[in-house]
mmCIF file of all heavy atoms in Angstrom:
data_model
loop_
_atom_site.group_PDB
_atom_site.id
_atom_site.type_symbol
_atom_site.label_atom_id
_atom_site.label_comp_id
_atom_site.label_asym_id
_atom_site.label_seq_id
_atom_site.Cartn_x
_atom_site.Cartn_y
_atom_site.Cartn_z
ATOM 1 N N ALA B 202 85.717 95.700 81.536
ATOM 2 C CA ALA B 202 85.166 94.559 82.250
ATOM 3 C C ALA B 202 83.920 94.912 83.015
ATOM 4 O O ALA B 202 82.951 94.125 83.127
ATOM 5 C CB ALA B 202 86.247 94.023 83.231
ATOM 6 N N PHE B 215 81.009 91.939 88.713
ATOM 7 C CA PHE B 215 80.796 93.337 89.176
ATOM 8 C C PHE B 215 81.350 93.575 90.560
ATOM 9 O O PHE B 215 82.068 94.512 90.795
ATOM 10 C CB PHE B 215 79.294 93.550 89.236
ATOM 11 C CG PHE B 215 78.860 94.915 89.778
ATOM 12 C CD1 PHE B 215 78.684 95.951 88.885
ATOM 13 C CD2 PHE B 215 78.705 95.123 91.085
ATOM 14 C CE1 PHE B 215 78.294 97.274 89.355
ATOM 15 C CE2 PHE B 215 78.334 96.396 91.611
ATOM 16 C CZ PHE B 215 78.138 97.467 90.741
ATOM 17 N N LYS B 445 96.045 120.884 133.402
ATOM 18 C CA LYS B 445 95.728 120.785 134.836
ATOM 19 C C LYS B 445 94.287 120.350 135.084
ATOM 20 O O LYS B 445 94.014 119.439 135.883
ATOM 21 C CB LYS B 445 95.960 122.131 135.569
ATOM 22 C CG LYS B 445 95.609 122.066 137.075
ATOM 23 C CD LYS B 445 95.815 123.455 137.744
ATOM 24 C CE LYS B 445 95.655 123.335 139.263
ATOM 25 N NZ LYS B 445 94.368 122.727 139.620
#
Side-chain angles (χ1 to χ4, degrees):
F215 177 93
K445 182 181 184 306

